[in-house]
Amino acid sequence: PTSAFTNAFTNAKAGMEGVDREMVKRVVHDMSVNSAHFATESRKEAAVEAKILAMKKRAASIRPSALATIKAAVDDRVARMEASRDLTKTWVHVDMDSFFASVHILERPELRDVPMAVGGMSMISTANYAARKFGVRSAMPGFIAKKLCPQLVFVDSDFAKYKHYASLTREVFKEYDPQFDAGSLDEAYLEISAYCAGKSMTPADVAEALRREVREKTKLTCSAGVAPTRRLAKVCSDANKPDGQMVIEPTRDAVAALLSSLPVRKIGGVGKVLDRTLAAFGIATCGDLLRERALVVALFSEVQSDFLLGVAIGVGGEARPARPPGWAPQRKSLSQERTFAPTADARALAAKIAALAEEVAAGLARENLLTRTVTLKMKRADFEVAQRQTSLPRPTNDAQTISDAALRLFRGEKNTHGSLRLLG
DNA sequence: TACATACAC
DNA sequence: AATGGTGTATGTA
């Protein structure tokens, strides 16, 4: 049977309209099926299926009376969320169009019309629209992409360039919302209700102006979504890619109309596993989620059901995160990991661990940080991952101390690790 | 605290 | 021949 993860690269994505998805699926499957990677992915999938089966059993054992009780409580929860709905904020999610690829095209315009991907034979991070027509897309191994599109050209990534262009976009974002929130190099959330009021402009016009200014300052295009919550703005920025935008009017009805048929997978935070889990209970859209809310509450943790109920009615992510003046993001971890040709040579592996520890120590020093916990990550040649962790007696940024701790963890694993393809 | 998993980009 | 790297959150024991 075609394993579900071979569908990973065939999901609808901007620029992939008209792609022969069955053909792409077949190529991906054929190129993968005899690999160690495929075997491990299949095993992981089986684990997910088992988890889903256990949930189904649990669902089947819920008595109708219990479900009725839950239903009443859920409706109460939903009513409270509904009462907290805030339609006064105007969020814009700006998302640069195939950012890395577009940056390279700026400097080499001839790459616009030839299929091109940033990355190499093992992995690609972005593809231009000419390549997407062939089913090539981000997170796809390059050798599979090359099979789908033999003319595909690879370009090495260049983060210095991306950072440069990201800073230009941020200059623009700042004018519209000085407190804008950049999640990554190529996207940001802005809350523009004050800007709209001050300029007497509609949110749609502001989004148009912002996109025009980004294009003028960077020669790059972006897409935007406008909505009363961040979550919905993000959904909208994807809807009319590339170089497009979408607005959800700030009314309960407009939000509900959009959600009724919106696939849950479109929501940030709903990934492959949650999507499949929900699908097993007949939940494919946010509308389904709302209809099956009692089941959702019965089956999922409180944290997760809070999230899912909010998704179902379009509430959540309207308030700007409370940040005292001078606030800076506090990092919780700092890591280095590297993939290499699989080896079981303990001395070579130990040398890699020492080198990684040096890099981590340098990173800690650069940011004036100390660590109390050291984690060693190992990926075996068969793609199985294991992590071992230890707490140090006192915080440090000393390379030798970090290296020694990691090497102790490594030696403790010696019997089991065999050949490794990654250390971190 | 240790470890695994899910997710985003 | 060939499937990445960095960081956060959450569940469970």
Side-chain angles (χ1 to χ4, degrees):
Chain A
T2 304
S3 154
F5 94 85
T6 59
N7 297 346
F9 303 118
T10 60
N11 299 328
K13 185 87 208 250
M16 310 251 317
E17 304 80 10
V19 172
D20 181 349
R21 291 173 57 173
E22 286 310 310
M23 185 273 290
V24 172
K25 202 189 295 187
R26 201 179 59 244
V27 170
V28 171
H29 180 270
D30 291 351
M31 296 293 285
S32 299
V33 67
N34 290 318
S35 67
H37 183 258
F38 187 96
T40 301
E41 288 300 315
S42 302
R43 203 156 51 241
K44 284 190 206 154
E45 282 202 346
V48 169
E49 290 302 331
K51 195 193 80 185
I52 291 174
L53 203 63
M55 282 178 83
K56 288 209 115 175
K57 277 190 181 145
R58 206 144 47 79
S61 73
I62 300 171
R63 281 198 295 277
S65 60
L67 205 59
T69 308
I70 293 168
K71 179 98 169 65
V74 175
D75 287 348
D76 214 54
R77 257 168 90 180
V78 168
R80 274 202 305 278
M81 293 175 107
E82 187 61 58
S84 78
R85 188 191 291 276
D86 177 4
L87 295 166
T88 66
K89 300 289 185 288
T90 308
W91 284 98
V92 183
H93 181 250
V94 187
D95 198 326
M96 301 302 294
D97 299 321
S98 50
F99 182 54
F100 293 178
S102 301
V103 166
H104 291 284
I105 289 170
L106 262 190
E107 300 184 1
R108 293 172 58 188
E110 73 277 10
L111 290 176
R112 179 176 301 276
D113 299 314
V114 305
M116 180 266 284
V118 178
M121 280 302 249
S122 37
M123 184 56 65
I124 68 189
S125 58
T126 326
N128 68 1
Y129 281 84
R132 291 184 195 196
K133 289 195 187 113
F134 293 84
V136 175
R137 54 170 292 176
S138 59
M140 179 180 271
F143 68 94
I144 294 180
K146 197 85 179 168
K147 185 79 173 185
L148 288 168
C149 175
Q151 327 87 287
L152 185 68
V153 175
F154 291 122
V155 175
D156 284 336
S157 61
D158 185 342
F159 279 85
K161 277 198 185 95
Y162 310 149
K163 281 181 187 155
H164 168 72
Y165 285 98
S167 76
L168 296 182
T169 67
R170 289 170 187 187
E171 290 296 307
V172 178
F173 300 158
K174 207 166 62 183
E175 298 168 26
Y176 294 81
D177 176 6
Q179 299 180 71
F180 77 90
D181 202 345
S184 64
L185 288 176
D186 79 324
E187 62 181 289
Y189 293 93
L190 292 75
E191 204 284 291
I192 58 163
S193 54
Y195 188 96
C196 290
K199 302 267 176 179
S200 301
M201 285 171 77
T202 65
D205 288 343
V206 170
E208 291 283 4
L210 182 154
R211 292 197 300 115
R212 192 177 323 117
E213 201 176 335
V214 167
R215 195 175 53 223
E216 282 165 6
K217 299 262 164 77
T218 66
K219 311 296 178 199
L220 298 167
T221 66
C222 61
S223 300
V226 180
T229 72
R230 266 172 302 184
R231 203 135 71 198
L232 293 169
K234 169 113 170 120
V235 171
C236 292
S237 69
D238 192 53
N240 287 318
K241 262 187 168 302
D243 199 15
Q245 64 182 54
M246 177 183 168
V247 179
I248 302 182
E249 295 303 326
T251 68
R252 186 182 176 282
D253 285 353
V255 169
L258 176 95
L259 289 175
S260 67
S261 62
L262 183 73
V264 287
R265 187 67 168 86
K266 293 278 184 192
I267 302 285
V270 179
K272 194 171 67 160
V273 171
L274 183 52
D275 184 45
R276 288 181 62 182
T277 305
L278 293 170
F281 293 95
I283 298 169
T285 67
C286 297
D288 298 334
L289 205 50
L290 184 55
R291 207 163 25 255
E292 297 295 342
R293 56 193 181 280
L295 191 59
V296 166
V297 168
L299 289 175
F300 290 91
S301 72
E302 187 159 343
V303 172
Q304 198 136 41
S305 63
D306 262 338
F307 166 71
L308 290 170
L309 292 178
V311 166
I313 64 172
V315 164
E318 41 278 281
R320 195 190 279 287
R323 285 166 184 174
W327 178 92
Q330 266 292 284
R331 79 151 69 235
K332 302 191 171 167
S333 65
L334 188 155
S335 65
Q336 288 282 316
E337 66 185 63
R338 211 141 297 143
T339 296
F340 43 79
T343 176
D345 179 345
R347 309 232 335 233
L349 292 168
K352 288 178 191 298
I353 289 171
L356 290 165
E358 290 279 358
E359 292 179 52
V360 168
L364 291 172
R366 196 175 328 119
E367 297 190 36
N368 254 306
L369 295 170
L370 300 175
T371 187
R372 223 157 39 83
T373 309
V374 173
T375 302
L376 177 69
K377 176 175 174 179
M378 294 159 285
K379 191 190 279 180
R380 300 194 323 206
D382 65 3
F383 292 87
E384 285 292 349
V385 175
Q387 291 190 166
R388 296 295 175 257
Q389 183 183 330
T390 186
S391 299
L392 302 172
R394 58 187 160 276
T396 185
N397 62 3
D398 177 57
Q400 192 66 52
T401 307
I402 293 168
S403 179
D404 287 348
L407 286 168
R408 274 198 305 278
L409 292 168
F410 178 64
R411 291 196 203 96
E413 291 299 306
K414 234 175 176 176
N415 312 326
T416 49
H417 65 56
S419 185
L420 299 182
R421 71 180 338 269
L422 171 147
L423 280 167

